[in-house]
Amino acid sequence: MLRLDPAHPIRRGYHLMRFPGRWKEPLRRLAQARRGGDVASIPIASLNEAITALVPDCVVTLPYAGRGDADQDWLLAYREINPAAIFALVAAWVRAQKATPDQIQLTLAQLNATDLAWSPVHLDLTTPDDRQRAMRLLPMEIAATLSRPDACCTHNNLRFLRCPSPDGAELISWPPERLEDQTPFSVKVGITAQTLPTSEEVLIYLSFGVRRWMPVRGKLASDHGHSVYLAPTVPYLTGLENSRHFGTARIRRTRVTAADGTTAYETRWDDAVAQVLREAGCLDRLPNPVQLVDKPMDYLQRHGDAAALVYSAGMLSNEKVSAGLSVADREPLMTWIATELNPQFQLAIPLPREKCTVYKGLGGAIDGPISASYLRDIVGPRLDIELLTDTEPATRYALDRLATRLGVSAPSPADLDGTGTLLDLGDLTVRIRHIPAPSIRADLERAGRSTRLAVQARIEEVIDTLGAASHPTISLVEIGHPDDYQGRRRGDDPKFAIRQGLLQTGRLSQFITPVADPKRPPRVREGKEPSDANRERFAAAVDDLFRQLGIRPQPLPEPARGTIPRRPALLGIWMIRQNKGQVWGVARQVPVAVLADPTGREVQICAPQVPWQPLHTGLLEIGKRYVEADLKCGPEDVVRFIKDVVDQAIDAYPDTLLLTHAQNLRSVWNTLANSRMQLDALGFGAGDPQPIGKLRGLRHVRVRTAEGGETPECYGVSATETGQPKGLWRFLLGRVYGSTSTKPSTSSGALKGVSKLVPGEHNGKLQAPKAKAQVWNPQFIELTVAGLQDGDCPEHWAALAHDLRDAAPYARNTTILPWPLHLAEQIEEYLLPSKVGTTPSADSSESE
């Protein structure tokens, strides 16, 4: 993380181009002709994308356009780029829009190159007056400095080229590493400018990772494009000057039908930039996409007009380079960058640790049996458990875990049938039954019908086969691995249809992939049971069913002495979003709330038109209410919902901790935005924010994650070494803290000291660079203690939010979000199609 040094201001002269107001109405009409209905904005994002990719010396400062008819600041550049070239790009973009030739010609007739002009502007990027422009320009300034021809990083002599980036800037090292052994990759540096709540200071966050390149022909997906980085020696468009940079475009494997009716697949350039280049008549200046896919190394090794096809998981049978960079590479890169940018930028001083724990003893999954009396309190006197598994081993693994959780001897797989076995637990009766149901678990049958119709048919089959559940019911379903449903088979994935069918019959569900043969013999340790990946997967899947019931095996601990006076209720608010998709064709924007009582053992949820109720019934109600609802709650609706749930929570409990997630909620509740946040106050729509002191016992912690580069990357430093410590850290402002976690068990093989770039020493031995070395880096979670009551200490409530990242009772690793928000986020699985998953998200920060 870098801070601007006020003693060395950054003053620059730029050239400014404004977006002509007289263009807005014809472009709005063009967008309206394509999309129908009332159109208030212009789809300028694709134009900005083309400019960013093809005119690298420009910075786009106007993300939205269309409202009003006035000119608006649009482009900033170091020099005056030929306006005719910019207009040619605009004209090509207009011709690339999906509209009739007459509509396009009518639009072009109302645009003119003379409407574009540059004007000089002088900016001081260190003053608050120019803060908004500085947020876009500072990353560009830094990228330009670090990509100078004479700039060379001493860590493996890396040199960098600039890349287009929608947010901030990006650098890619070039030429690639490891060309000689066909494991090519480049170091990637992301640069963003960020702010902190209630502060005017602009901070620079850097992220480090790798960009992996395809060395040989691999498998291309047919349902999405693949990125290609291009380093041209001459500009693609006439009238532009070339500079040291990467452009980007995407290729796609597309199915085509020949004249004789046969089908085949072709590799083509296919994205907004390619469309603009096609309309500009210069698409043929890009490399031949077929040759690029067939022989990618030929283009990687070129000195001029190089091209690099990005590798992503699944394109090769085995990965040649792992994702991410370890501390061994990040630290010297950070040191070099700080040296190059001195004196205008200074490294932030190391953050001091906040030594406070409120809930001691949290961390790791809570194992052992769950009390039958507690189960009865949550679900009632009867619980049905259904195993829709295919094989005897899968059924056995599930039964073993159920026996552990219920504290009884479970029946054997051979004893189960469709009727089921009743287990009398005293306070509770549990029925376990096995339902093979191969047709329910099979791939979707899409022949001759749309995916939506195939999904609906499967839902009806589930309903007809199983009927309505007469008691609270949880179902474990064994289906194929997500890798089985890639590319052309993506639409065959039955998971979403099965879940919705079970939902309609009153069943909660969790999915598990088949039992797999171990890749290596199990690890044997004295006094411990041999490790078994299948056992661990099935245990996590069964535990997730209890999570959906709202079961917490043990209560949250009492607060440590000298911290907060008593346990608060926990309120998490989450916004579920989905744009129109291929399956349902509906758009959803639905707020949900999770409320846990102070012990954490009674969890309720609600949503608009779904009142507070236990988690297990609420999941069913929310799923039924919103899965087919074309509903987008607007900001006013969301704020009204938030006000209602906050009022209901503080009426029910003397103390309540409200947890929100900045990136998830601020677009509809703008009081969470850095520029609008007021400490110890909450805004609920029109009018002044309400002092939190008038909201009985309410505290508020806003969480911000690394999404969009909005939190800095981190590593621990001591007098002798660097590391990856877990802890709570005091950040740059009094109410802002950082939370980091320890390495999860899934990354036990990741070593912080192994470099991908240079030889290094480990355990006293010299080691060669390891391109395939597993990498894990902790994500820095920002915790802003936004609202307190009189007499509160902010570090206590920050520590509580930090502790709650270890409070998910079935997660063996620290979760990214505190437990109530983690629960709220998982409600999405009942509304949005998603991949098979069996474990909660663990904290990680690996860069690709």
Side-chain angles (χ1 to χ4, degrees), residues 51-58 78-86 162 232-245 285:
I51 290 173
T52 300
L54 301 172
V55 193
D57 293 323
C58 272
Y78 288 114
R79 55 184 175 80
E80 292 191 13
I81 298 165
N82 188 347
I86 301 291
R162 284 180 295 148
T233 54
V234 295
Y236 293 126
L237 296 178
T238 303
L240 297 178
E241 296 182 21
N242 203 45
S243 61
R244 285 173 51 84
H245 77 284
R285 297 186 186 180

Side-chain angles (χ1 to χ4, degrees), residues 342-587:
N342 186 61
Q344 285 84 6
F345 298 89
Q346 302 292 329
L347 271 175
I349 61 173
L351 305 181
R353 185 187 291 272
E354 181 60 65
K355 298 180 180 180
C356 178
T357 300
V358 176
Y359 283 169
K360 294 183 178 181
L362 291 177
I366 302 173
D367 283 317
I370 301 168
S371 161
S373 60
Y374 170 54
L375 276 169
R376 181 189 176 99
D377 290 342
I378 300 300
V379 302
R382 171 74 174 265
L383 173 65
D384 283 4
I385 302 174
E386 298 173 342
L387 305 179
L388 280 70
T389 48
D390 182 37
T391 62
E392 188 274 341
T395 307
R396 176 166 41 82
Y397 276 119
L399 288 170
D400 287 347
R401 187 58 174 180
L402 286 170
T404 299
R405 284 307 190 186
L406 297 175
V408 297
S409 296
S412 69
D415 294 334
L416 287 182
D417 56 24
T419 302
T421 299
L422 291 177
L423 303 177
D424 184 359
L425 306 185
D427 294 296
L428 175 76
T429 299
V430 175
R431 181 178 71 157
I432 304 177
R433 65 173 181 154
H434 179 239
I435 308 173
S439 61
I440 288 179
R441 297 182 292 100
D443 294 351
L444 289 182
E445 298 175 1
R446 295 188 296 151
R449 57 183 170 183
S450 67
T451 300
R452 181 190 177 105
L453 290 177
V455 168
Q456 191 59 47
R458 182 60 53 84
I459 291 173
E460 293 170 359
E461 181 178 357
V462 173
I463 295 172
D464 292 342
T465 303
L466 300 180
S470 54
H471 305 284
T473 303
I474 51 178
S475 302
L476 181 68
V477 185
E478 181 182 3
I479 64 173
H481 195 278
D483 290 347
D484 297 340
Y485 302 109
Q486 299 296 320
R488 286 175 291 173
R489 296 204 58 220
R490 185 177 181 183
D492 298 336
D493 189 345
K495 180 183 178 184
F496 184 64
I498 297 171
R499 171 156 274 158
Q500 294 309 312
L502 294 171
L503 173 76
Q504 296 302 320
T505 63
R507 291 168 167 84
L508 300 174
S509 56
Q510 178 61 17
F511 295 84
I512 186 73
T513 56
V515 173
D517 294 331
K519 295 181 180 179
R520 59 181 65 89
R523 183 190 309 171
V524 179
R525 290 178 288 184
E526 185 177 353
K528 293 188 177 181
E529 189 176 358
S531 62
D532 184 339
N534 289 310
R535 183 180 65 240
E536 293 172 2
R537 289 194 305 109
F538 275 79
V542 169
D543 284 354
D544 194 78
L545 288 169
F546 285 103
R547 185 268 303 172
Q548 294 179 46
L549 288 173
I551 300 297
R552 182 177 189 87
Q554 294 178 9
L556 291 167
E558 292 289 345
R561 183 178 301 176
T563 59
I564 62 178
R566 55 185 170 265
R567 293 179 297 195
L570 305 172
L571 176 63
I573 299 173
W574 191 260
M575 196 75 191
I576 297 175
R577 290 185 178 86
Q578 182 189 28
N579 292 326
K580 292 185 177 182
Q582 294 181 351
V583 176
W584 292 107
V586 298

